[in-house]
């Protein structure tokens, strides 16, 4: 972008994309204003004293036409979040002297992410969150602020009144309820803005994660649950202003409910819509489990015209801001944003990079006698490895989404001629039924009744080789296929025993980059052979997890799922 051009107001951070919508409208308004001003100037300048102005259809000869000189570049360039820009534009207009055609202040409505990514930088920046100033400082760009923010507006969860009971039971909204409604597919549609472009998206993602983390202390599982909401979005880069404009044009409550659904916005945007008297009524409010404020700091760049900047700030009155629907003080109880901008931008990048994939999982569960050994878990309990596996497995069963296909084998031979493994749950869709029960129900029942076989050997290596080969035949596009091994990590005691070197050689020989099948290897207890598990995970591009707590397994699977959903 040339240094003398403004950034596109819809430009996402960090990579530019073509603009639409708001930019075109702004350009059209500018053109109309200039045409109107030019027409008025022509009429005035083409009228002799005492002589009526010529009719528009009969302009004067070319020799008598005059053109107003172009306006000089403005002395102060201002970029403001779109929802507050009209108030600042009105304040800037008061600084012009009577009869003055050219303004010294140019105000443009620009999303904060576009300002952060673009150039040139404006003289004054009014983003919709101080978090953007912190992000700019991290990039080496310094903005100075004096005094408190101009205004505040909490984020709300909004939607058509006809579906209020689905996302706002009891007239109260909640990020956790919205996430659960998305997972259960109870809400017809959910839309959110791009968190790398807009404040509503950035703070919304942060608030969702904070709300879920309160009830889910395990970070891996909490992240997966947050991304479950991301996976159910009808539109992951929706602009609240565009959504509200669409609703304002709609005359059908039912159609609007299914086309637009639920979305976050600022309270100011919701209030302005509600005051517009539109056919489709919107309801909503600040979420009880993640109240977060959009604030509007007035920031100046080093070298900006100081006096003019001060005059503009003074012209932006509290009365004008509150009349536009903003709050004059921070919302009590709002979340304190982290000082480190990466704590906001990191999850935002993960959210933005998310891609929808289905999962295919083959569970390989160790049924050998060594799983009856006792261990002490992280809570200080004396339990068997089998007990830990039952508890971990029950947690993990809830992690698998509805779009998962799953199968389960037990491995552990009780006799010299026994098979290396036995199928307990046939491979197929988790929601599919066999023998009158869904696979999810079968999985939960099998794990809850799991009992290792005393004195049974452990054909770990052979089972992993067979499992990876079986899943390689299931690989298909836009699907993550993984093998999850639950064991104490020791191979031996059967006719299938082999050295680790031979196992790894055979495992490596079967690796096909076009059909990847990573192994997630979970070792139970302090005696687990983690080096062996780490090696098989490394060869296949998976990961190894030491499980000494029931949450460890679910957390490890969740982290693996998150990695699979992230674009490379």
């Amino acid at each position: 972008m040339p240094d003398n051009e403004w950034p596109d107001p819809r430009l996402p951070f960090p990579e530019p994309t073509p603009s639409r919508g708001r930019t075109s409208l702004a350009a059209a308004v500018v053109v109309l204003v200039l045409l109107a001003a030019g027409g008025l100037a022509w009429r005035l300048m083409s009228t002799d004293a005492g002589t009526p102005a010529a009719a528009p259809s009969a302009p004067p000869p070319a020799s008598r036409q005059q053109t107003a000189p172009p306006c000089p570049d403005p002395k102060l360039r201002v970029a403001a979040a779109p929802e507050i820009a009209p108030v600042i534009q009105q304040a800037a207009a008061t600084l012009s002297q009577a009869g003055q055609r050219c303004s010294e202040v140019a105000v443009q409505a620009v999303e904060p992410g576009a300002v952060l990514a673009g150039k040139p930088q404006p003289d004054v920046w009014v983003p919709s969150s101080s978090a953007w100033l912190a992000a700019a400082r991290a990039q080496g760009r310094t903005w100075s602020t004096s005094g408190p923010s101009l205004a505040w507006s909490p984020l709300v969860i909004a939607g058509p009144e006809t579906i209020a009971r689905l996302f706002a039971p009891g007239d109260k909204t909640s990020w956790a309820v919205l996430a659960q409604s998305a997972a259960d597919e109870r809400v017809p549609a959910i839309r959110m803005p791009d968190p790398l472009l807009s404040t509503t998206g950035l703070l919304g993602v942060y608030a969702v994660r904070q709300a879920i983390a309160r009830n889910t202390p395990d970070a891996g599982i909490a992240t997966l649950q947050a991304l479950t909401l991301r996976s159910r979005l009808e539109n992951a880069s929706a602009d609240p202003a565009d959504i509200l404009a669409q609703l304002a044009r709609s005359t059908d409550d039912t159609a609007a409910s299914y086309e637009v659904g639920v979305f976050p916005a600022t309270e100011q945007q919701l209030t302005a819509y509600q005051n517009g008297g539109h056919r489709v009524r919107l309801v909503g409010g600040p979420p009880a489990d993640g109240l977060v404020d959009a604030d509007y700091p007035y920031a100046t760049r080093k070298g900006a015209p100081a006096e003019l900047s001060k005059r503009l700030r003074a012209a932006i009155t509290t009365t004008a801001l509150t009349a536009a629907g903003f709050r004059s003080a921070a919302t009590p109880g709002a979340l304190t944003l982290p000082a480190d901008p990466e704590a906001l931008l990191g999850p935002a990048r993960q959210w933005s990079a998310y891609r929808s994939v289905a999962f295919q999982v083959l569970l390989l569960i160790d049924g050998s006698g060594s799983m009856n050994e006792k261990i002490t878990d992280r809570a200080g309990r004396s339990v068997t490895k089998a007990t830990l596996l039952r508890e971990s497995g029950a947690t993990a069963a809830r992690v698998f989404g509805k779009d998962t296909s799953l199968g389960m084998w037990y491995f552990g031979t009780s006799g010299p001629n026994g098979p290396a493994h036995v199928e307990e749950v046939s491979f197929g869709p988790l929601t599919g039924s066999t023998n009158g029960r869904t696979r999810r129900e079968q999985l939960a029942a099998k794990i809850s009744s799991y009992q290792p076989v005393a004195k049974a050997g452990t054909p770990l290596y052979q089972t992993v080789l067979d499992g990876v080969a079986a899943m390689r035949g299931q690989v298909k596009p836009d699907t993550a296929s993984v093998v999850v091994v639950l064991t104490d990590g020791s191979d031996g005691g059967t006719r299938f025993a082999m050295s680790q070197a031979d196992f790894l050689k055979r495992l490596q020989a079967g690796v096909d980059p076009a059909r990847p099948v990573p192994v997630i290897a979970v070792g139970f207890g302090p005696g687990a052979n983690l080096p062996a598990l780490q090696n098989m995970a490394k060869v296949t591009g998976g990961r190894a997890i030491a499980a000494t707590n029931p949450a460890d397994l679910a957390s490890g699977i969740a982290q693996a799922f998150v990695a699979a959903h992230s674009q490379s």
Side-chain angles (χ1 to χ4, degrees):
M1 178 183 294
D3 287 350
N4 61 348
E5 292 184 8
W6 282 87
D8 190 301
R10 303 291 292 277
L11 189 69
F13 166 72
E15 294 184 356
T17 58
S19 63
R20 58 184 176 84
R22 187 180 294 122
T23 304
S24 300
L25 177 60
V29 171
V30 171
V31 170
L32 289 174
V33 170
L34 292 177
L35 287 175
L40 177 60
W42 173 82
R43 286 195 298 273
L44 292 175
M45 289 185 290
S46 63
T47 303
D48 296 330
T51 305
S57 58
S63 60
R64 296 184 59 195
Q65 293 185 28
Q66 299 184 39
T67 303
C71 287
D73 290 339
K75 294 181 180 179
L76 191 73
R77 294 153 58 89
V78 182
E83 62 271 25
I84 201 172
V87 178
I88 299 175
Q89 288 165 345
Q90 292 170 6
T94 66
L95 301 182
S96 299
Q97 298 178 0
Q100 183 178 359
R101 184 175 65 87
C102 300
S103 174
E104 296 181 315
V105 180
V107 181
Q108 185 178 15
V110 191
E111 290 288 2
V115 176
L116 193 64
K119 61 179 183 179
Q121 294 291 283
D123 300 308
V124 172
W125 186 17
V126 185
S128 38
S129 175
S130 297
W132 297 103
L133 299 181
R137 284 195 298 272
Q139 294 184 357
R141 303 178 184 181
T142 303
W143 295 86
S144 300
T145 58
S146 60
S149 294
L150 295 173
W152 290 261
S153 188
L155 261 61
V156 299
I157 298 175
E161 188 178 46
T162 52
I163 58 171
R165 61 182 178 80
L166 300 179
F167 74 93
D171 296 329
K172 294 182 179 179
T173 64
S174 161
W175 295 113
V177 168
L178 183 64
Q180 190 60 51
S181 297
D184 296 340
E185 299 179 342
R186 293 199 304 266
V187 179
I190 302 175
R191 301 170 188 269
M192 284 187 70
D194 185 346
L196 297 177
L197 174 65
S198 77
T199 295
T200 303
L202 181 69
L203 300 187
V205 168
Y206 177 72
V208 166
R209 291 171 66 97
Q210 291 296 303
I212 292 176
R214 285 195 189 92
N215 299 317
T216 312
D218 185 276
I221 300 175
T223 298
L224 181 64
Q225 290 178 349
L227 288 181
T228 298
L229 172 59
R230 167 64 181 83
S231 71
R232 300 299 194 270
L233 295 183
E234 184 75 17
N235 186 334
S237 58
D239 181 352
D242 289 347
I243 294 175
L244 293 170
Q246 178 182 348
L247 287 169
R249 295 190 300 268
S250 180
T251 58
D252 188 331
D253 288 343
T254 302
S257 298
Y258 283 89
E259 291 173 3
V260 173
V262 185
F263 59 96
T266 64
E267 179 187 66
Q268 184 270 341
Q269 290 174 312
L270 175 60
T271 301
Y273 179 90
Q274 289 173 327
N275 291 339
H278 302 293
R279 172 66 180 82
V280 177
R281 293 175 55 84
L282 282 186
V283 296
D289 58 352
L291 180 61
V292 60
D293 259 343
D295 72 306
Y296 298 81
Y298 187 92
T300 56
R301 179 180 57 82
K302 183 178 180 180
E307 184 59 33
L308 189 53
S309 174
K310 290 179 181 178
R311 288 173 55 206
L312 176 61
R313 172 159 187 147
I316 305 169
T317 65
T318 301
T319 301
L321 289 166
T322 54
F326 293 97
R327 297 191 181 194
S328 59
T331 308
L335 291 171
T336 300
L337 300 183
D340 181 3
E342 189 59 27
L344 289 171
L345 293 174
R349 279 191 290 268
Q350 182 188 66
W351 183 281
S352 186
Y354 178 94
R355 62 192 179 102
S356 296
V357 295
F359 278 94
Q360 299 186 137
V361 181
L362 179 60
L363 286 174
L364 308 179
I365 297 182
D366 190 339
S368 64
S370 59
M371 292 294 289
N372 285 317
E373 296 174 357
K374 285 193 172 185
I375 62 171
T376 300
D377 71 5
R378 288 193 299 182
R381 300 180 304 162
S382 178
V383 296
T384 66
K385 298 175 185 177
T387 299
L388 191 61
L389 188 146
R390 283 192 293 270
E391 295 175 351
S392 297
T395 303
R398 293 192 292 269
V399 170
F400 299 121
K402 292 182 178 180
D403 55 357
T404 301
S405 291
L406 181 140
M408 186 175 75
W409 299 352
Y410 280 163
F411 62 94
T413 59
S414 57
N417 297 318
H421 44 78
V422 176
E423 183 180 76
E424 295 290 333
V425 178
S426 64
F427 182 82
L430 191 62
T431 55
S433 298
T434 60
N435 300 321
R437 291 192 299 178
T438 66
R439 285 184 176 82
R440 188 189 293 278
E441 292 170 337
Q442 294 178 50
L443 173 65
K446 289 289 184 180
I447 291 180
S448 65
S449 62
Y450 164 76
Q451 290 292 342
V453 179
K455 298 181 180 180
T458 311
L460 170 64
Y461 292 160
Q462 185 62 55
T463 301
V464 170
L465 291 172
D466 292 346
V468 170
M471 290 304 292
R472 188 173 294 119
Q474 299 288 347
V475 169
K476 53 187 177 182
D478 297 321
T479 303
S481 302
V482 300
V483 169
V484 179
V485 186
L486 291 71
T487 181
D488 60 2
S490 297
D491 179 85
T494 73
R495 62 190 177 94
F496 301 101
M498 66 186 77
S499 68
Q500 184 175 157
D502 186 32
F503 163 67
L504 293 176
K505 181 179 179 180
R506 294 172 61 183
L507 187 63
Q508 179 68 63
V511 170
D512 182 354
R515 295 182 298 164
V517 181
V519 173
I520 303 172
V522 183
F524 287 88
N529 188 352
L530 280 178
L533 301 181
Q534 289 167 344
N535 286 334
M536 68 175 70
K538 182 178 180 180
V539 167
T540 59
R543 60 174 296 155
I545 304 161
T548 55
N549 184 278
D552 290 338
L553 171 61
S555 177
I557 293 176
Q559 292 174 45
F561 282 15
V562 168
H565 279 301
S566 299
Q567 293 178 345
S568 58

